[in-house]
Each structure stands twice: as structure tokens, then as C-alpha cells.
């Protein structure tokens, strides 16, 4: 009986663990910290250099990855600053100031109207804005996100479709 109890306890622990656990980190932005001037949009005094990002732990059944950077404090529709689709699952990150993307990855037009990285630039006097960076594991090799879709629409669709994700948030106050 004791052996059976131990077997059940071990089995329940193994089954309770997620099969995969994605992570997302940056050498340039620490979770919960202020985003540096280098990553800020030019009209807000920055250099608009995309941050270095690293990720791991995508599920084995993922066919592509999507990267998003969303301002969570623009209401009601949020604001997209960076969307990269169709990243290959064997990619493990992007360097600071990435000029090229791996594989068939492509930039999607953000709410700034550009298919590019658009750094934080909260309107003067609107307080602290929180910028969520997320890597999404997708079940298909190609992800169709319509250019200039509202960020809340993009997030809702990704949340329904993605196999897994990892996020962190940095902030800016102007």
C-alpha cells in the first residue's frame, strides 16, 4: 500500500508540472524597471534602439513565434509598439538594435504606422506607462496579423491561439 501511495504522489507531481515553460529576458530591460533612453522613441528624447531579447522553452509542437511590445496604459485599445511574426522556433532571441530578422520573420505595422520597432513615448502628463514584451508560441508556421490592428485585438487573438507565452513589463514616465 505504501508503494502505491508513493507512486500516486510522484505521478501527480509529474503530471501537475507544465510540459514546457517559456521564458523571456532582456539584457537591456529588467522586469518591472524603467526602460532606458536608448530604447525610447526619438520624439520623446530617445534613440529608438530595439532591446536585446532572449527566449527559451517553446513547446515542441510550436511552428512559429510572435513577439509583441504593447503599451498597456493607452485606453481603451492599448498601443502596439513592436510586432514580429513568423519567428522560427529555433531562434533564441534578437540582438540589441536588430537590423535583420531570422528565417521568414517579418515586422507588422504597429499603431505608429511603421513596420519597425517603435520605442516607448507616452504623451506628456499621462503618468507611468507599462510596456509588456511577450513571446508567443504559435501552432502555425505563419501568423496573420493585420497591419495596424488595434493592440487589444492582437492580444485577444494571440491569447486565444497561442500554445504558450512568456512576458515581462518595463515602464516609462514622461
Amino acid at each position: 500500500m505504501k508503494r502505491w501511495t508513493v507512486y500516486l504522489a510522484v505521478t501527480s507531481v509529474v503530471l501537475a508540472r507544465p510540459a514546457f515553460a517559456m521564458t523571456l529576458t532582456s539584457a537591456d530591460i529588467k522586469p518591472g524597471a524603467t526602460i532606458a533612453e536608448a530604447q525610447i522613441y526619438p520624439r520623446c528624447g530617445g534613440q529608438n534602439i530595439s532591446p536585446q531579447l532572449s527566449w527559451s522553452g517553446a513547446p515542441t509542437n510550436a511552428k512559429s513565434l510572435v513577439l509583441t511590445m504593447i503599451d498597456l496604459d493607452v485606453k481603451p485599445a492599448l498601443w502596439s509598439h513592436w510586432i514580429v511574426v513568423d519567428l522560427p522556433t529555433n531562434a533564441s532571441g534578437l540582438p540589441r538594435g536588430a537590423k535583420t530578422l531570422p528565417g521568414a520573420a517579418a515586422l507588422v505595422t504597429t499603431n505608429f504606422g511603421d513596420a519597425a520597432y517603435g520605442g516607448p513615448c507616452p504623451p506628456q502628463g499621462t503618468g507611468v506607462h507599462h510596456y509588456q514584451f511577450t513571446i508567443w508560441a504559435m501552432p502555425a508556421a505563419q501568423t496573420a496579423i493585420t497591419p495596424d490592428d488595434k493592440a487589444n485585438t492582437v492580444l485577444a487573438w494571440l491569447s486565444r491561439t497561442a500554445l504558450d507565452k512568456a512576458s515581462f513589463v518595463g515602464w516609462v514616465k514622461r
Side-chain angles (χ1 to χ4, degrees), residues 26-60:
S26 175
D28 297 319
I29 302 169
K30 300 299 175 217
T34 303
I35 296 173
E37 184 180 300
Q39 278 73 54
I40 304 294
Y41 200 68
R43 79 169 162 233
C44 289
Q47 299 160 11
N48 207 44
I49 298 170
S50 63
Q52 178 279 335
L53 296 171
S54 297
W55 54 79
S56 65
T60 56

Side-chain angles (χ1 to χ4, degrees), residues 5-95:
T5 304
V6 170
Y7 172 77
L8 286 175
V10 169
T11 302
S12 65
V13 168
V14 169
L15 293 176
R17 282 187 293 167
F20 36 81
M22 290 185 72
T23 62
L24 176 64
T25 60
S26 175
D28 297 319
I29 302 169
K30 300 299 175 217
T34 303
I35 296 173
E37 184 180 300
Q39 278 73 54
I40 304 294
Y41 200 68
R43 79 169 162 233
C44 289
Q47 299 160 11
N48 207 44
I49 298 170
S50 63
Q52 178 279 335
L53 296 171
S54 297
W55 54 79
S56 65
T60 56
N61 58 336
K63 303 286 191 268
S64 69
L65 303 171
V66 172
L67 173 67
T68 58
M69 175 187 167
I70 306 293
D71 182 340
L72 301 176
D73 296 300
V74 176
K75 303 299 182 204
L78 312 178
W79 190 271
S80 64
H81 284 259
W82 197 17
I83 302 174
V84 183
V85 297
D86 305 339
L87 286 157
T89 57
N90 64 353
S92 59
L94 294 174

Side-chain angles (χ1 to χ4, degrees), residues 137-157:
M138 303 305 294
Q142 294 182 324
T143 303
I145 295 176
T146 306
D148 209 33
D149 259 352
K150 298 291 184 207
N152 59 347
T153 302
V154 171
L155 288 183
W157 182 81

Side-chain angles (χ1 to χ4, degrees), residues 77-169:
L78 312 178
W79 190 271
S80 64
H81 284 259
W82 197 17
I83 302 174
V84 183
V85 297
D86 305 339
L87 286 157
T89 57
N90 64 353
S92 59
L94 294 174
R96 179 182 300 116
K99 300 291 184 216
T100 60
L101 298 171
L107 292 159
V108 174
T109 303
T110 67
N111 292 138
F112 277 121
D114 301 318
Y117 170 79
C121 188
Q124 201 66 268
T126 59
V128 173
H129 281 237
H130 298 86
Y131 298 86
Q132 184 176 55
F133 294 80
T134 306
I135 190 76
W136 306 82
M138 303 305 294
Q142 294 182 324
T143 303
I145 295 176
T146 306
D148 209 33
D149 259 352
K150 298 291 184 207
N152 59 347
T153 302
V154 171
L155 288 183
W157 182 81
L158 287 168
S159 293
R160 285 190 311 273
T161 309
L163 302 170
D164 197 8
K165 68 178 183 174
S167 300
F168 70 83
V169 175

